[in-house]
mmCIF file of all heavy atoms in Angstrom:
data_model
loop_
_atom_site.group_PDB
_atom_site.id
_atom_site.type_symbol
_atom_site.label_atom_id
_atom_site.label_comp_id
_atom_site.label_asym_id
_atom_site.label_seq_id
_atom_site.Cartn_x
_atom_site.Cartn_y
_atom_site.Cartn_z
ATOM 1 N N ILE G 359 154.228 -136.085 -94.582
ATOM 2 C CA ILE G 359 154.019 -134.799 -95.013
ATOM 3 C C ILE G 359 153.296 -134.022 -93.914
ATOM 4 O O ILE G 359 152.238 -134.428 -93.437
ATOM 5 C CB ILE G 359 153.143 -134.745 -96.293
ATOM 6 C CG1 ILE G 359 153.851 -135.430 -97.417
ATOM 7 C CG2 ILE G 359 152.804 -133.259 -96.672
ATOM 8 C CD1 ILE G 359 152.984 -135.568 -98.664
ATOM 9 N N PRO G 360 153.841 -132.875 -93.529
ATOM 10 C CA PRO G 360 155.162 -132.356 -93.766
ATOM 11 C C PRO G 360 156.187 -133.284 -93.164
ATOM 12 O O PRO G 360 155.834 -134.090 -92.260
ATOM 13 C CB PRO G 360 155.179 -130.962 -93.159
ATOM 14 C CG PRO G 360 154.058 -130.938 -92.164
ATOM 15 C CD PRO G 360 153.053 -132.006 -92.580
ATOM 16 N N PRO G 361 157.454 -133.198 -93.590
ATOM 17 C CA PRO G 361 158.420 -134.114 -93.020
ATOM 18 C C PRO G 361 158.481 -134.013 -91.502
ATOM 19 O O PRO G 361 158.518 -132.930 -90.953
ATOM 20 C CB PRO G 361 159.771 -133.571 -93.672
ATOM 21 C CG PRO G 361 159.325 -132.853 -94.886
ATOM 22 C CD PRO G 361 157.984 -132.266 -94.569
ATOM 23 N N VAL G 362 158.472 -135.143 -90.863
ATOM 24 C CA VAL G 362 158.440 -135.243 -89.388
ATOM 25 C C VAL G 362 159.623 -134.472 -88.779
ATOM 26 O O VAL G 362 159.513 -133.849 -87.734
ATOM 27 C CB VAL G 362 158.306 -136.640 -88.868
ATOM 28 C CG1 VAL G 362 159.568 -137.448 -89.053
ATOM 29 C CG2 VAL G 362 157.777 -136.631 -87.472
ATOM 30 N N ASP G 363 160.778 -134.534 -89.437
ATOM 31 C CA ASP G 363 161.932 -133.897 -88.820
ATOM 32 C C ASP G 363 161.761 -132.353 -88.780
ATOM 33 O O ASP G 363 162.210 -131.681 -87.835
ATOM 34 C CB ASP G 363 163.251 -134.218 -89.534
ATOM 35 C CG ASP G 363 163.218 -133.942 -91.028
ATOM 36 O OD1 ASP G 363 162.170 -134.115 -91.677
ATOM 37 O OD2 ASP G 363 164.265 -133.498 -91.579
ATOM 38 N N VAL G 364 161.005 -131.811 -89.727
ATOM 39 C CA VAL G 364 160.690 -130.402 -89.693
ATOM 40 C C VAL G 364 159.796 -130.058 -88.502
ATOM 41 O O VAL G 364 159.988 -129.100 -87.780
ATOM 42 C CB VAL G 364 160.044 -129.916 -91.057
ATOM 43 C CG1 VAL G 364 159.428 -128.521 -90.945
ATOM 44 C CG2 VAL G 364 161.022 -130.029 -92.172
ATOM 45 N N LEU G 365 158.792 -130.937 -88.328
ATOM 46 C CA LEU G 365 157.912 -130.681 -87.172
ATOM 47 C C LEU G 365 158.590 -130.873 -85.840
ATOM 48 O O LEU G 365 158.373 -130.137 -84.889
ATOM 49 C CB LEU G 365 156.706 -131.653 -87.250
ATOM 50 C CG LEU G 365 155.803 -131.447 -88.440
ATOM 51 C CD1 LEU G 365 154.756 -132.534 -88.494
ATOM 52 C CD2 LEU G 365 155.160 -130.084 -88.368
ATOM 53 N N LEU G 366 159.453 -131.878 -85.733
ATOM 54 C CA LEU G 366 160.178 -132.134 -84.496
ATOM 55 C C LEU G 366 161.051 -130.949 -84.114
ATOM 56 O O LEU G 366 161.092 -130.484 -83.007
ATOM 57 C CB LEU G 366 160.974 -133.420 -84.577
ATOM 58 C CG LEU G 366 160.139 -134.712 -84.628
ATOM 59 C CD1 LEU G 366 161.048 -135.916 -84.958
ATOM 60 C CD2 LEU G 366 159.444 -134.947 -83.294
ATOM 61 N N GLU G 367 161.756 -130.423 -85.109
ATOM 62 C CA GLU G 367 162.625 -129.268 -84.886
ATOM 63 C C GLU G 367 161.810 -128.082 -84.497
ATOM 64 O O GLU G 367 162.143 -127.313 -83.583
ATOM 65 C CB GLU G 367 163.414 -128.966 -86.198
ATOM 66 C CG GLU G 367 164.236 -127.743 -86.206
ATOM 67 C CD GLU G 367 163.513 -126.537 -86.639
ATOM 68 O OE1 GLU G 367 162.733 -126.609 -87.679
ATOM 69 O OE2 GLU G 367 163.683 -125.390 -86.108
ATOM 70 N N PHE G 368 160.671 -127.855 -85.179
ATOM 71 C CA PHE G 368 159.782 -126.714 -84.835
ATOM 72 C C PHE G 368 159.264 -126.832 -83.403
ATOM 73 O O PHE G 368 159.313 -125.879 -82.660
ATOM 74 C CB PHE G 368 158.645 -126.674 -85.852
ATOM 75 C CG PHE G 368 157.742 -125.478 -85.760
ATOM 76 C CD1 PHE G 368 158.238 -124.198 -85.561
ATOM 77 C CD2 PHE G 368 156.347 -125.624 -85.901
ATOM 78 C CE1 PHE G 368 157.348 -123.108 -85.483
ATOM 79 C CE2 PHE G 368 155.519 -124.573 -85.828
ATOM 80 C CZ PHE G 368 156.028 -123.283 -85.609
ATOM 81 N N LEU G 369 158.847 -128.000 -83.008
ATOM 82 C CA LEU G 369 158.305 -128.226 -81.668
ATOM 83 C C LEU G 369 159.439 -127.985 -80.655
ATOM 84 O O LEU G 369 159.265 -127.275 -79.618
ATOM 85 C CB LEU G 369 157.821 -129.638 -81.480
ATOM 86 C CG LEU G 369 156.394 -129.869 -81.915
ATOM 87 C CD1 LEU G 369 156.018 -131.330 -81.754
ATOM 88 C CD2 LEU G 369 155.387 -129.036 -81.084
ATOM 89 N N LYS G 370 160.645 -128.567 -80.874
ATOM 90 C CA LYS G 370 161.738 -128.417 -79.934
ATOM 91 C C LYS G 370 162.110 -126.884 -79.818
ATOM 92 O O LYS G 370 162.438 -126.446 -78.762
ATOM 93 C CB LYS G 370 162.917 -129.218 -80.384
ATOM 94 C CG LYS G 370 162.691 -130.712 -80.239
ATOM 95 C CD LYS G 370 163.874 -131.494 -80.776
ATOM 96 C CE LYS G 370 163.603 -132.958 -80.688
ATOM 97 N NZ LYS G 370 164.718 -133.783 -81.288
ATOM 98 N N SER G 371 162.051 -126.155 -80.869
ATOM 99 C CA SER G 371 162.399 -124.782 -80.838
ATOM 100 C C SER G 371 161.438 -123.974 -79.948
ATOM 101 O O SER G 371 161.757 -122.907 -79.399
ATOM 102 C CB SER G 371 162.478 -124.121 -82.248
ATOM 103 O OG SER G 371 161.153 -123.979 -82.750
ATOM 104 N N SER G 372 160.246 -124.510 -79.775
ATOM 105 C CA SER G 372 159.212 -123.761 -79.022
ATOM 106 C C SER G 372 159.480 -123.945 -77.511
ATOM 107 O O SER G 372 159.006 -123.077 -76.729
ATOM 108 C CB SER G 372 157.846 -124.365 -79.325
ATOM 109 O OG SER G 372 157.650 -125.617 -78.670
#
Side-chain angles (χ1 to χ4, degrees):
I359 296 172
V362 73
D363 57 322
V364 169
L365 294 174
L366 291 169
E367 174 270 319
F368 186 43
L369 276 177
K370 289 176 184 176
S371 74
S372 75

